């Protein structure tokens, strides 16, 4: 069994070429030789991946082995270089090996040539394997660094195509389906911006038919990768729709390509294509695993970005709905509240006490519904960062007493007596409506979970801050839920047992923070919970 061997021979004598080929065939090689005799011919023949070994005579007319070796080293190609010459002496051989040749042979000792060629070809193969492995590790490490944490869809696409260029490929493109008819280029990378612009324009003028039987459309439908080691011009001519289209395709200079599907959890998202030009070796089967791993990571990142985008859009639509619904509900609630207030006043003038009590209950429910609507509106404002303050000089104790008065009837109906202790003269600059909102939220929460026990409210100041503490003796709060209850829609108990939207404490904390203060919860010794509102006594502007 013979081994194929691609030999580039720097030789001016055809008889010496026949001698070398005959000896290599005796050594078990199927020899394919190309002979060059000048620097120009050698430079033109140095194509990546084309040769297994270079065998050079030492002296040629106007050319020699050291000059040939210098050209090979300057090319950056790792091709073993061996000198085979009838005129080479030991001194010349040592010098040429110091310069980078792998070995040298007088033609009188040419029988050793096959063994030396076998050794150098194998070592070159091992060096290439190590270089490929290092390239793959570096590429995937870079992919991990570039793609991790990326959640914006289009920027993620741009990162994906830049990862393999120029380490693995000269071209990288990502195609995604559009309208069920085309595969459109959504991201593209090449080291030359002019070529990128040309490729985008070509895609705009000649979009890729999703139903095409070959290329990226085929990979998209089958989900199987495709390697084209060679991209002959005849194949491109069959794909082109017009002479102008063919001219543009040829201008890309593709020599070989790899098409790999971008497969997500729900199926194929698109296709990533890698391409080489004349500046690097053609793709081979060895390049497929790293291309597939890159596509796998890219698909996962793209799918995460798409899901994040969809979730953000869903949140935006929800917040928009909350804002619209809150505004629409405000008007009828305001009108209903005014009419009920008017009826309450009329019933009192006519001493219809039974009617007054019923109307008062109805008015309280309208106010409660109005509070819920305002809470929803505040949540939509907070989602867009629009919770504004209108500070005014006010007495915190008076505000707290007014809130307690509004809850008097509700506390009596729930069997929770209200106890209040207010230090006088707690004057500061705060948004009155927001402070009332926070205190109302804390008080409503205490009454809801108070289990028919007294609720205590204390107001005092110390160390430049004013504090409002609301304590209940109800069911209490588990330790691991003390922070969660301040999250949006957060709750420590089932919504089936206790009503509410799970928004009151969230809005309360955000309103307190807008003042430069804070709200927190604690477990109360002996059962129940303690909520504390802390507000700075200095105005927001001074802080």
């Amino acid at each position: 069994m013979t081994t194929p061997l691609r030999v580039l021979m720097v030789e001016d004598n055809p008889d010496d070429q026949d001698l070398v080929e005959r000896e290599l065939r005796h050594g078990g090689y199927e020899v394919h030789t190309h002979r060059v005799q000048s620097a120009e011919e050698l430079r033109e023949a140095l194509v990546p991946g084309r040769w297994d070994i270079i065998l050079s005579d030492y002296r040629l007319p106007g050319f020699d082995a050291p000059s040939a070796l210098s050209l090979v080293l300057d090319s950056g190609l790792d091709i073993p270089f061996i000198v085979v010459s009838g005129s080479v002496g030991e001194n010349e051989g040592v010098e040429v090996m110091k310069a980078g040749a792998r070995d040298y042979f007088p033609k009188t000792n040419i029988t050793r040539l096959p063994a030396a060629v076998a050794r150098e070809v194998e070592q070159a193969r091992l060096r290439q394997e190590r270089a490929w492995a290092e390239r793959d590790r570096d590429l995937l490490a870079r992919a991990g660094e570039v793609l991790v944490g990326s959640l914006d869809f289009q920027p993620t696409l741009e990162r994906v195509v830049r990862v393999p260029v120029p380490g693995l490929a000269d071209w990288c493109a990502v195609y995604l389906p559009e309208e069920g008819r085309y595969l459109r280029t959504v991201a593209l990378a090449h080291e030359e911006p002019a070529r990128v612009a040309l490729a985008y324009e070509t895609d705009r003028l000649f979009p890729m038919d999703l139903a095409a039987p070959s290329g990226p459309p085929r990979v998209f439908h089958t989900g199987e990768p495709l390697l084209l080691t060679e991209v002959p011009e005849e194949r491109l001519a069959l794909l082109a729709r017009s002479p102008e289209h063919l001219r543009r395709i040829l201008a890309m200079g593709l020599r070989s390509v790899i098409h790999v599907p971008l497969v997500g959890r729900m199926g194929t998202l698109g296709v990533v294509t890698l391409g080489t030009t004349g500046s690097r070796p053609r793709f081979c089967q060895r390049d497929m695993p790293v291309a597939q791993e890159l596509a796998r990571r890219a698909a996962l990142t793209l799918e995460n970005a798409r899901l994040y985008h969809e979730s953000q859009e869903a949140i935006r639509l929800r917040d928009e709905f909350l804002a619209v619904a809150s505004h629409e509900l405000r008007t009828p609630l305001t009108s209903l509240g005014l009419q009920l207030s008017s009826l309450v006043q009329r019933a009192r003038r006519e001493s219809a006490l039974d009617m007054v009590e019923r109307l008062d209950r109805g008015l309280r429910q309208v106010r409660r519904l109005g509070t819920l609507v305002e809470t929803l509106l505040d949540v939509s404002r907070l989602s867009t960062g629009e919770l504004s303050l209108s500070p005014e000089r006010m007495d915190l104790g008076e505000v707290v007493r007014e809130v307690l008065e509004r809850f008097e009837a509700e506390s009596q109906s729930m069997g929770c007596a209200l106890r209040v202790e207010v230090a006088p003269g707690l004057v500061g600059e705060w948004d009155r409506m927001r402070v009332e909102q926070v205190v109302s939220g804390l008080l409503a929460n205490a009454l809801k979970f108070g289990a028919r026990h007294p609720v205590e409210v204390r107001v005092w100041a110390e160390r430049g801050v004013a504090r409002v503490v609301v304590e209940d003796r109800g069911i209490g709060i588990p330790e691991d839920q003390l922070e969660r209850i301040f999250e949006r829609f957060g709750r420590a108990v089932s919504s089936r047992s206790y009503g509410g939207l799970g928004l009151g404490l969230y809005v309360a904390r955000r309103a307190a923070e807008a003042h430069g203060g804070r709200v927190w919860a604690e477990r109360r010794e002996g059962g129940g919970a303690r909520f504390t509102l802390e507000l700075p006594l200095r105005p927001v502007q001074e802080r």
Side-chain angles (χ1 to χ4, degrees):
M1 181 177 177
T2 58
T3 303
L5 183 68
R6 300 167 300 172
V7 180
L8 177 60
M9 184 167 286
V10 184
E11 177 64 70
D12 62 322
N13 189 333
D15 293 337
D16 285 346
Q17 176 184 348
D18 291 340
L19 175 66
V20 169
E21 289 179 349
R22 186 167 56 250
E23 196 62 42
L24 289 174
R25 281 193 290 270
H26 286 164
Y29 287 107
E30 179 186 337
V31 183
H32 304 273
T33 305
H34 177 70
R35 184 165 62 93
V36 298
Q37 304 179 62
S38 66
E40 291 74 16
E41 291 178 349
L42 176 58
R43 192 178 291 110
E44 185 177 345
L46 289 175
V47 176
R50 187 172 176 180
W51 309 111
D52 297 316
I53 199 160
I54 298 175
L55 302 178
S56 176
D57 195 357
Y58 192 83
R59 289 189 179 89
L60 292 80
F63 199 39
D64 60 14
S67 300
L69 176 60
S70 179
L71 285 176
V72 174
L73 295 177
D74 289 344
S75 73
L77 300 176
D78 185 8
I79 308 174
F81 189 99
I82 296 178
V83 176
V84 182
S85 175
S87 60
V88 64
E90 184 175 349
N91 291 336
E92 291 89 347
V94 170
E95 289 301 318
V96 79
M97 287 189 67
K98 286 181 179 179
R102 307 302 300 181
D103 210 337
Y104 73 96
F105 293 96
K107 288 179 180 175
T108 56
N109 197 20
I110 201 171
T111 54
R112 290 179 47 233
L113 181 61
V117 167
R119 180 193 69 226
E120 296 303 328
V121 169
E122 176 62 15
Q123 288 183 0
R125 185 189 68 79
L126 294 175
R127 287 196 302 272
Q128 185 64 66
E129 288 288 340
R130 287 194 295 269
W132 274 336
E134 185 176 353
R135 178 204 65 181
D136 293 352
R137 285 195 301 270
D138 291 345
L139 181 69
L140 294 178
R142 181 166 173 261
E145 294 173 0
V146 170
L147 299 179
V148 66
S150 181
L151 291 175
D152 293 328
F153 196 74
Q154 188 59 41
T156 299
L157 288 171
E158 299 296 337
R159 292 187 180 95
V160 167
V161 295
R162 286 197 293 268
V163 168
V165 176
L168 177 63
D170 299 303
W171 283 98
C172 183
V174 173
Y175 306 99
L176 297 183
E178 182 181 274
E179 301 174 354
R181 298 176 56 195
Y182 304 112
L183 269 183
R184 301 307 297 255
T185 304
V186 294
L188 189 64
H190 190 279
E191 290 191 290
E192 299 178 20
R195 291 202 180 194
V196 173
L198 176 64
Y200 272 124
E201 185 181 14
T202 302
D203 181 75
R204 180 179 61 83
L205 296 174
F206 304 98
M208 193 180 300
D209 187 356
L210 188 57
S214 61
R218 170 189 167 185
V219 173
F220 180 81
H221 288 299
T222 64
E224 296 294 330
L226 178 64
L227 165 65
L228 297 176
T229 303
E230 295 281 349
V231 183
E233 187 173 329
E234 307 82 61
R235 182 185 181 92
L236 297 177
L238 293 175
L239 296 174
R241 303 181 194 173
S242 68
E244 172 62 15
H245 191 198
L246 179 60
R247 184 189 69 79
R248 288 172 172 271
I249 294 176
L250 292 176
M252 298 176 67
L254 290 173
R255 297 178 68 236
S256 64
V257 295
I258 296 176
H259 304 297
V260 187
L262 291 166
V263 182
R265 302 177 187 89
M266 304 300 292
T268 303
L269 305 174
V271 177
V272 59
T273 293
L274 306 175
T276 68
T277 63
S279 61
R280 69 179 67 244
R282 293 174 176 84
F283 285 131
C284 60
Q285 196 64 38
R286 171 64 182 76
D287 297 304
M288 287 295 286
V290 68
Q292 290 178 285
E293 177 61 19
L294 176 63
R296 186 191 69 80
R297 297 187 184 194
L300 180 61
T301 304
L302 288 172
E303 190 164 56
N304 288 341
R306 178 178 59 81
L307 293 173
Y308 175 76
H309 175 74
E310 291 176 356
S311 67
Q312 292 298 105
E313 180 64 13
I315 291 172
R316 186 191 66 80
L317 292 174
R318 183 203 64 191
D319 291 339
E320 185 176 306
F321 167 77
L322 289 175
V324 172
S326 300
H327 280 291
E328 291 298 318
L329 288 170
R330 259 177 153 185
T331 302
L333 279 174
T334 302
S335 177
L336 180 58
L338 291 173
Q339 292 182 42
L340 285 174
S341 296
S342 177
L343 289 174
V344 168
Q345 294 174 7
R346 180 176 176 183
R348 284 174 176 165
R349 287 197 301 269
E350 297 175 0
S351 299
L353 299 181
D354 182 58
M355 183 66 70
V356 169
E357 184 179 349
R358 293 184 181 183
L359 289 173
D360 270 336
R361 284 201 298 269
L363 189 57
R364 285 198 300 272
Q365 294 305 314
V366 169
R367 288 171 178 163
R368 181 184 179 192
L369 186 55
T371 300
L372 294 177
V373 170
E374 288 297 329
T375 300
L376 288 176
L377 186 57
D378 281 338
V379 170
S380 65
R381 287 170 178 160
L382 286 168
S383 298
T384 56
E386 295 179 358
L387 187 65
S388 58
L389 299 179
S390 299
E392 61 179 278
R393 194 163 181 79
M394 51 179 278
D395 187 308
L396 183 59
E398 292 181 1
V399 172
V400 171
R401 290 186 185 279
E402 291 175 8
V403 172
L404 286 161
E405 288 177 4
R406 290 201 296 268
F407 277 86
E408 186 65 36
E410 183 175 347
S411 65
Q412 290 179 2
S413 65
M414 300 180 73
C416 294
L418 294 178
R419 299 174 182 173
V420 61
E421 180 182 336
V422 178
L426 289 181
V427 177
E429 288 193 13
W430 305 293
D431 185 313
R432 187 182 190 89
M433 187 270 287
R434 295 296 175 194
V435 172
E436 290 180 355
Q437 186 179 36
V438 176
V439 176
S440 296
L442 300 183
L443 196 56
N445 189 76
L447 292 174
K448 182 191 299 185
F449 300 105
R452 308 186 70 84
H453 293 291
V455 172
E456 297 179 359
V457 180
R458 300 194 307 277
V459 184
W460 79 96
E462 65 177 9
R463 298 178 184 175
V465 296
R467 286 197 178 94
V468 179
V469 174
V470 179
E471 288 187 349
D472 65 70
R473 294 172 172 78
I475 61 175
I477 307 170
E479 191 72 33
D480 59 346
Q481 300 293 320
L482 289 174
E483 279 300 313
R484 185 178 181 277
I485 59 176
F486 290 99
E487 297 174 4
R488 183 159 46 175
F489 305 111
R491 55 176 70 248
V493 295
S494 169
S495 59
R496 296 182 180 179
S497 303
Y498 296 90
L501 300 174
L503 293 172
L505 293 178
Y506 166 74
V507 173
R509 171 166 281 186
R510 296 298 297 272
E513 290 173 348
H515 284 87
R518 58 189 183 126
V519 174
W520 69 92
E522 303 169 278
R523 291 167 59 88
R524 181 182 175 278
E525 293 183 10
R530 179 187 299 110
F531 287 83
T532 303
L533 163 65
E534 189 177 88
L535 295 172
L537 288 171
R538 288 181 297 160
V540 175
Q541 292 85 345
E542 290 184 18
R543 290 182 287 102

